[in-house]
Amino acid sequence: MIAHVRGTVAGVAPDGAVIEVGGVGMRVQCTPGTLALLKPGEPAQVATSLVVREDSLTLYGFGSDDERNVFELLQTASGVGPRLALAMLAVHTPDALRRAVSTEDLGALTMVPGIGKKGAERIVLELRDRLGPPGESGAAGGLPGTRPPRAAQWRDQVQSGLVNLGWPARDADQAIAALEEDGTIGAADGEDPPTVDVAVVLRAALRKLSKQ
């Protein structure tokens, strides 16, 4: 098992990044929140989980060991594969997932594209005793050697994240605009705009979209 990858970020795409380790480019698929912390040309370390299939080897990257561990636990539930587990962590933090499962909050779970009511009920039934209660372990800072994106960058990252989760680009843009209008996202001002937490904005946009 590859527990983590540390090196220089060679490139970032909407669904993953390439981290150069010893002259070898390792492609890792990540949530939008993790990708927002990876900057080309800068050093970074991501916790990783290697998923082996008959026809592929896929490396998934996370901003913390806790995210990686929850990703692996989610896949022990019936019908939850790596892509759905990654989508769950794109929508919710590890502790938010623990809270949703422990309190049987089906509404929170069905916010994830690909999870219906029956699927949410199954996840609660099968993972209630595995994920454990929410706690401090899920509170992760930024990746080493990284920083949150400037306001000029976050919009494309949030839009790409929503599209990767199955929402049309037009709906994604409308949700982002709605967040700006209601004050959820502060408008950038001055020559040095504030940083934006892409993961937080992504989750807020998903809440908007789920109410449509």
Side-chain angles (χ1 to χ4, degrees), residues 187-203:
D189 47 42
E191 294 183 0
D192 186 21
T195 57
V196 175
D197 190 326
V198 171
V200 171
V201 176
L202 178 65
R203 292 174 188 124

Side-chain angles (χ1 to χ4, degrees), residues 126-178:
E126 297 185 14
L127 295 182
R128 183 186 295 118
D129 298 327
R130 298 179 189 175
L131 285 181
E136 295 299 323
S137 59
L143 293 164
T146 61
R147 58 178 179 271
R150 293 291 181 180
Q153 301 170 323
W154 65 263
R155 178 183 288 276
D156 287 343
Q157 293 172 328
V158 173
Q159 198 246 29
S160 294
L162 292 171
V163 171
N164 288 336
L165 288 171
W167 295 98
R170 183 178 65 178
D171 290 352
D173 290 335
Q174 290 175 347
I176 294 170

